[in-house]
Each structure stands twice: as structure tokens, then as C-alpha cells.
Amino acid sequence: MKIEHVGLWVQDLEAMKKFYETYLEGIAGELYYNQKTNFKSYFLTFPEGDTRLELMNKPELADRSEEAFGYAHLAYQVADKNEVEALHQRLVQAGYKHVNGPRTTGDGYYEAVIEDPEGNLIEITA
């Protein structure tokens, strides 16, 4: 198992993308836009390593306090859908809070989300 990506809520998606590209050698993929939820994101890769950074934005979050921005989730990649389901079930049976899934997301991930003991979101993805 490895950390597949880290999600970061941002206020200015384009400015943050430019920062990571300009100063930290990030290479942004295509803009993902879910018209139904008004969610936009970029995945950035980096020359040394395979863990990605997801910069995420929803305009309605601007009405919240600044606490709505920053760390969103850690995504752990497993081999396949069966492992997503098995680990999700194991965690829920152990008493960890189910958030959503298992499901296929609009950008093609098969994932389930639980909360860790302090309420941080953990995505299990294939």
C-alpha cells in the first residue's frame, strides 16, 4: 500500500496550480470539472516520485471560514476493487466511521472513504 495522492482545498485554483508548477516542479494534468457539483480539480505529478497532489476548489466554500481550506484527505492506493471493498469493510467493522462508497467517482476512481480516529478523511482507492 502507498499514499496515492493528497487532496488540498484551495481558494484560487489557478494561482495555486501556477505556484506548484513554477516553484515545486509540479506538472498539472487537465482540469477536472464536475458540472453537477461545481467541483474543479487538478492533479499534479512531480519528477521524483509517484505520489500526486490534488488541488481542489468549489466556489461555495468561499463562504466558509478559512478552516474549510487546506488538507482534505489522504488517498491510499490498493491493487483493485476487491481490496478497496475488503479494507473498507474491515475498517467499518472495526468501528471507524463510513463516509461514502465504495463507488466509482466522476473522475474514474473506485474508492471508499472512512474517517480515522480523529475524523480525518481516508480514501481507499484503486
Side-chain angles (χ1 to χ4, degrees), residues 5-8 54 56 70-75 121-123:
H5 71 270
V6 175
L8 186 66
E54 182 181 15
M56 308 177 310
Y71 165 81
H73 60 264
L74 289 177
L121 297 180
I122 304 295
E123 285 184 5

Side-chain angles (χ1 to χ4, degrees), residues 10 12-19 31 42:
V10 300
D12 188 332
L13 187 61
E14 295 300 324
M16 291 292 283
K17 177 176 88 82
K18 184 175 179 179
F19 170 83
L31 174 69
Y42 285 106

Side-chain angles (χ1 to χ4, degrees), residues 3-62:
I3 294 177
E4 202 281 335
H5 71 270
V6 175
L8 186 66
W9 286 114
V10 300
Q11 294 182 22
D12 188 332
L13 187 61
E14 295 300 324
M16 291 292 283
K17 177 176 88 82
K18 184 175 179 179
F19 170 83
Y20 281 95
E21 288 176 324
T22 302
Y23 299 105
L24 299 173
E25 300 180 5
I27 302 164
E30 294 294 315
L31 174 69
Y32 170 74
Y33 177 49
N34 184 322
Q35 293 180 352
K36 189 184 298 185
T37 63
N38 207 21
F39 171 82
K40 295 178 182 179
S41 74
Y42 285 106
F43 275 101
L44 287 95
T45 58
F46 298 88
E48 302 294 324
D50 57 358
T51 299
R52 301 181 303 158
L53 175 64
E54 182 181 15
L55 301 176
M56 308 177 310
N57 175 269
K58 284 180 84 167
E60 55 272 22
L61 291 181

